[in-house]
Amino acid sequence: MKKNRNLYLRVGLVLTCLMLLFALLGAFWTPYAPTAMKYGRFQAPSLQHPFGTDNFGRDIFSRVMKGTGTTLGIALATVSLGAVIGTLVGALTGYYGGWLDEALMRLNDAVTAFPSFLLALLIVSLVGPGKKYSVVLALGLVFIPSFARVMRTEFRALRGQNFVTGARLMGAGNGRILLVHLLPN
């Protein structure tokens, strides 16, 4: 069983590296201009156009190369936004507790209860369609509740540990305890 997991890890790592290489290569070079409409409509895959052409005569392989980088960039920004804000919310609610915990976790529950696809559509319609940051904002806000719940649980478990009590006895403030002592753990 362990051998299979190792194999799956290696295959996943190779595929991820190939996709990252494909995206990096697409950022600097594509065989054809991704937006050029001059290669003939609906051509079948061939050596000249490995994925064929679309209904406008654009090379699909070049478009996929260019789009992979954009998609990975949006995914990275989305998860980063959700992780940073979710970690902040989870840290505050887990460490302080009380009314702050109740208020932010009820807001968290409301966001979780609302269908994420509809929430993303609502945010895009409010911010305006056609902008990359609106997609990042919409999807990033959808990820916040899951990160907040995990961080809240961890901070609640760690806030009563001896190293936190020791830091408090040495005169460390709440900000220092949160950032220096709890967050790395």
Side-chain angles (χ1 to χ4, degrees):
M1 187 70 165
K2 186 174 171 110
K3 197 171 201 174
N4 282 344
R5 275 193 239 154
N6 222 355
L7 175 68
Y8 295 147
L9 175 69
R10 288 181 185 157
V11 169
L13 186 62
V14 166
L15 290 175
T16 302
C17 288
L18 285 174
M19 188 172 58
L20 289 173
L21 182 67
F22 191 70
L24 188 63
L25 181 65
F28 298 108
W29 174 82
T30 56
Y32 300 100
T35 56
M37 297 188 275
K38 60 182 178 183
Y39 306 112
R41 297 175 52 182
F42 296 118
Q43 287 185 2
S46 64
L47 290 176
Q48 293 171 333
H49 303 287
F51 292 174
T53 61
D54 64 5
N55 59 334
F56 294 112
R58 298 175 295 197
D59 181 57
I60 296 174
F61 184 71
S62 297
R63 294 179 63 76
V64 168
M65 284 182 77
K66 202 66 156 170
T68 302
T70 303
T71 302
L72 289 177
I74 288 173
L76 181 66
T78 297
V79 172
S80 297
L81 178 71
V84 167
I85 296 175
T87 299
L88 180 66
V89 169
L92 292 175
T93 58
Y95 182 72
Y96 289 111
W99 67 268
L100 181 67
D101 181 33
E102 284 297 318
L104 289 178
M105 282 299 111
R106 294 308 68 87
L107 180 65
N108 199 17
D109 291 341
V111 171
T112 305
F114 202 76
S116 56
F117 184 70
L118 289 178
L119 180 63
L121 284 176
L122 175 71
I123 293 168
V124 167
S125 68
L126 290 175
V127 174
K131 298 175 179 76
K132 287 180 188 175
Y133 70 86
S134 67
V135 173
V136 170
L137 180 66
L139 295 175
L141 291 177
V142 169
F143 281 122
I144 291 172
S146 56
F147 280 104
R149 287 231 178 262
V150 170
M151 288 298 142
R152 175 180 178 257
T153 303
E154 290 300 317
F155 274 80
R156 285 180 70 120
L158 290 174
R159 73 178 177 188
Q161 296 291 323
N162 289 336
F163 69 92
V164 175
T165 306
R168 201 174 284 125
L169 289 173
M170 289 182 2
N174 289 332
R176 180 168 177 82
I177 292 172
L178 278 169
L179 292 175
V180 175
H181 299 284
L182 288 175
L183 191 60
N185 287 300

